[in-house]
Amino acid sequence: MDSLRFAFLLLLASVSFQQIFANDDKTIFYESFEEPFEGRWIVSQKEEYNGVWKHAKSEGHDDYGLLVSEKARKYAIVTELDDTVSLKDGTIVLQFETRLQNGLECGGAYLKFLRPQEAGWKSKEFDNESPYSIMFGPDKCGATNKVHFILKHENPKSGEYVEHHLKYPPSVPSDKLSHVYTAILKPDNEIHILIDGEEKKEANFLSSEDFEPPLIPAKTIPDPDDKKPEDWDERAKIPDPDAVKPDDWDEDAPLEIVDEDAVKPEGWLDDEPEEVDDPEATKPEDWDDEEDGQWEAPKIDNPKCEMAPGCGEWKKPMKKNPAYKGKWHAPLIDNPNYKGIWKPQQIPNPSYFELDKPDFEPIAAIGIEIWTMQDGILFDNILIAKDEKVAESIRETTWKRKFDVEKEKLKVEEVAAGSGGLAGFQKKVFDLLYKVADIPFLSDYKPKILDLIAKGETQPTVTIGSLVAIVVVILTILFKIVFGGKKQVRVEAKNPEVAETSNDQGSSGDQGSSGEKVEEEENEKEDAAGAAPRRRRRD
């Protein structure tokens, strides 16, 4: 039965490929790496690019690809197209497969679609400075986890080539399976990013909401020569100059005082120490008194104290001082000289231009130029086509069957290793967290979230508790966004690793004067004073 199925798949693949290449005007370039790459691809001879490329099989398959074979290396390789490809005429599809056979902790796995060599580069000297039109593909390291799409576009006014990055790109799949990445450039200025045939991102090249910086610059910019006047007052509130500290305000009153009404609990063991020598401890055989000093048994909690209210010397506890008022500050009033937050005046942007369609540079070559700490990265089935149906057909006949085999094998391995429970749960949680990180309104926090996820993934002994902790951090961020205010300040204090805010309060009028800051600090002190002090057992 399996042999019949395999024969059917081969027949299907054969028919599909005949259909694909029957109409060459739809397929501009296709590289399957079934044959050795030497002669078609040129390895950079730049000294720093010392990583060795290999023509190798994908693990578990008879399918070949281009393999990154060594860790901690820079790699560069390029192939020139027979004819340059215009990106201005109709739909253009860019697609390729990668398989991170050893995972990806830190490194890139993207392609560069290069401009003609007249732009100033040579194949044997291909490096990170070689001018490209589009960079597309996965990149992951620390807080960076994204499927890049970068368009390099010339500003017709300044002549400068600017990198325009897709905002909120999808995350890289967090496994060792084969994945296929597709970018579909439409004539209506739309771009669609697909992973494994599923659309993950739709954007418009001319939208400032989708690319950073936007392709069309702002009409006006802040005047770089405009300076804030020396007498400009940005304080919305100021301490009341007429306020006077009340006569009964005692700034020296302590925060806590002894509770004179407290009575020692009945049964308190005054003569029992809180800790005693561990009776089960023994002196180590290799202990040398002359070199190690006199051996002392380690201490343990006194078991007699467990059943008693407490042990040792009893002292009256402290309580909040009702007379405590803290440092006096004059109340805040509206500042009569307040002029608002100063901003430089706007002037016409000399680099501004209007655009109906991106002025795409043509593609003359495809290059892979990466730095990676990981080996085992396999590139395969690189495609440039004019029809997305061509890309879909190649996905079905090349990637899909490999992916299904790998996924089934992974399930079997998880069951055999007895990890279908916790490991399966961990993977589902990580997959979910990556999807959460892709939510647009969390974009300002995405690097912190991805950093936490990356730390969790690199620890093979991650427990359910650790995963829950990451979820709690994300929920804390959501809480801050929804509620803001003082709650936000306190959440940030408890979670310093994710304390990142999307607004610019540090430079706004809300910050106000030093009087406002002091008053807020005093409010927090008073809140702290209202809580019962933590006591030891004997209290």
Side-chain angles (χ1 to χ4, degrees), residues 241-453:
D242 299 325
V244 179
K245 183 176 69 173
D247 293 336
D248 62 347
W249 192 289
D250 184 0
E251 293 185 329
D252 298 324
L255 177 65
E256 291 183 326
I257 58 175
V258 175
D259 184 0
E260 298 296 345
D261 297 328
V263 178
K264 182 170 67 175
E266 185 177 352
W268 189 279
L269 305 177
D270 299 87
D271 299 329
E272 288 289 342
E274 292 187 354
E275 293 183 334
V276 294
D277 293 344
D278 184 355
E280 298 182 1
T282 57
K283 181 178 178 181
E285 294 181 0
D286 59 349
W287 187 276
D288 190 322
D289 290 336
E290 293 184 0
E291 293 186 4
D292 302 324
Q294 184 178 358
W295 181 82
E296 295 181 357
K299 299 290 185 180
I300 62 171
D301 290 338
N302 188 342
K304 294 181 180 179
C305 300
E306 296 296 325
M307 304 301 293
C311 294
E313 180 185 1
W314 180 82
K315 294 180 180 179
K316 291 186 177 182
M318 304 295 286
K319 69 176 184 179
K320 181 180 177 181
N321 183 3
Y324 173 77
K325 294 185 178 181
K327 186 74 174 176
W328 182 83
H329 296 281
L332 299 179
I333 61 171
D334 292 336
N335 182 2
N337 299 318
Y338 176 64
K339 295 184 179 180
I341 301 303
W342 182 85
K343 294 180 180 179
Q345 65 178 346
Q346 296 287 309
I347 60 173
N349 184 358
S351 297
Y352 173 74
F353 63 92
E354 294 183 354
L355 194 67
D356 293 327
K357 288 183 175 295
D359 189 16
F360 294 110
E361 296 285 346
I363 295 173
I366 301 173
I368 305 174
E369 185 274 317
I370 57 176
W371 173 88
T372 177
M373 296 300 294
Q374 214 71 43
D375 60 353
I377 301 174
L378 192 80
F379 294 87
D380 200 3
N381 295 313
I382 300 174
L383 170 72
I384 302 177
K386 293 183 179 180
D387 190 339
E388 49 194 289
K389 290 184 178 179
V390 175
E392 181 181 355
S393 181
I394 288 184
R395 288 197 301 268
E396 289 297 318
T397 54
T398 61
W399 166 78
K400 185 66 165 62
R401 55 194 178 88
K402 289 187 294 187
F403 180 78
D404 289 343
V405 170
E406 293 162 10
K407 199 169 183 180
E408 188 63 32
K409 181 181 178 183
L410 181 63
K411 289 181 180 178
V412 172
E413 289 176 350
E414 287 182 349
V415 172
S419 58
L422 180 58
F425 169 78
Q426 290 174 338
K427 185 180 183 305
K428 289 179 181 178
V429 172
F430 281 128
D431 289 344
L432 176 61
L433 293 178
Y434 276 120
K435 291 180 181 179
V436 171
D438 284 336
I439 297 175
F441 74 85
L442 287 175
S443 59
D444 292 323
Y445 302 91
K446 185 173 181 178
K448 293 292 184 183
I449 296 173
L450 292 177
D451 187 46
L452 287 170
I453 298 172

Side-chain angles (χ1 to χ4, degrees), residues 79-85 113-117 121 362-366:
T79 185
E80 298 180 44
L81 305 181
D82 293 335
D83 299 298
T84 58
V85 178
F113 298 87
L114 302 163
R115 292 159 52 195
Q117 291 195 358
W121 66 280
I363 295 173
I366 301 173

Side-chain angles (χ1 to χ4, degrees), residues 31-237:
E31 173 62 86
S32 66
F33 293 107
E34 285 307 302
E35 299 296 330
F37 61 85
E38 289 85 356
R40 301 190 314 282
W41 291 75
I42 300 172
V43 178
S44 175
Q45 295 181 0
K46 285 289 190 75
E47 183 179 355
E48 64 267 32
Y49 294 97
N50 55 2
V52 177
W53 295 98
K54 289 187 177 181
H55 180 243
K57 287 184 179 181
S58 180
E59 291 181 4
H61 305 290
D62 288 329
D63 184 53
Y64 283 87
L66 182 63
L67 180 68
V68 170
S69 65
E70 298 176 297
K71 297 180 179 180
R73 292 285 189 273
K74 286 186 176 181
Y75 292 80
I77 192 170
V78 66
T79 185
E80 298 180 44
L81 305 181
D82 293 335
D83 299 298
T84 58
V85 178
S86 172
L87 301 177
K88 299 179 181 179
D89 305 323
T91 296
I92 291 292
V93 183
L94 311 175
Q95 180 171 282
F96 69 102
E97 292 177 28
T98 61
R99 186 180 182 190
L100 311 174
Q101 297 180 140
N102 298 323
L104 184 62
E105 294 180 8
C106 187
Y110 42 78
L111 303 188
K112 289 184 175 180
F113 298 87
L114 302 163
R115 292 159 52 195
Q117 291 195 358
E118 288 77 8
W121 66 280
K122 297 179 181 179
S123 296
K124 291 183 179 181
E125 298 176 3
F126 173 50
D127 61 12
N128 65 325
E129 297 296 329
S130 299
Y132 64 86
S133 295
I134 289 173
M135 188 174 109
F136 172 51
D139 187 18
K140 181 179 179 183
C141 191
T144 298
N145 185 319
K146 65 181 73 173
V147 178
H148 283 291
F149 186 92
I150 303 173
L151 170 66
K152 212 161 191 179
H153 191 271
E154 182 183 17
N155 184 310
K157 287 289 188 71
S158 65
E160 177 187 6
Y161 280 89
V162 180
E163 288 186 355
H164 301 277
H165 294 245
L166 179 67
K167 284 186 178 180
Y168 319 126
S171 298
V172 181
S174 57
D175 55 43
K176 301 177 182 180
L177 308 180
S178 297
H179 293 284
V180 57
Y181 299 90
T182 310
I184 305 172
L185 286 65
K186 294 281 195 175
D188 59 359
N189 297 329
E190 284 193 351
I191 175 172
H192 302 260
I193 303 296
L194 284 61
I195 301 179
D196 298 344
E198 179 182 349
E199 183 170 298
K200 297 292 185 179
K201 178 72 177 181
E202 177 184 346
N204 188 295
F205 281 111
L206 303 186
S207 172
S208 60
E209 298 297 320
D210 292 333
F211 281 86
E212 178 63 37
L215 266 70
I216 302 177
K219 287 186 177 182
T220 62
I221 59 172
D223 184 354
D225 298 322
D226 195 13
K227 307 297 180 184
K228 183 172 69 172
E230 293 183 1
D231 62 347
W232 191 279
D233 196 338
E234 293 183 330
R235 300 174 299 164
K237 299 280 186 178

Side-chain angles (χ1 to χ4, degrees), residues 1-44:
M1 193 69 181
D2 290 339
S3 59
L4 288 174
R5 182 184 177 190
F6 183 69
F8 174 75
L9 288 173
L10 285 177
L11 177 62
L12 178 63
S14 175
V15 171
S16 298
F17 274 99
Q18 289 174 11
Q19 291 174 345
I20 290 171
F21 294 108
N23 193 354
D24 286 341
D25 63 340
K26 297 292 186 183
T27 303
I28 300 172
F29 173 87
Y30 179 67
E31 173 62 86
S32 66
F33 293 107
E34 285 307 302
E35 299 296 330
F37 61 85
E38 289 85 356
R40 301 190 314 282
W41 291 75
I42 300 172
V43 178
S44 175

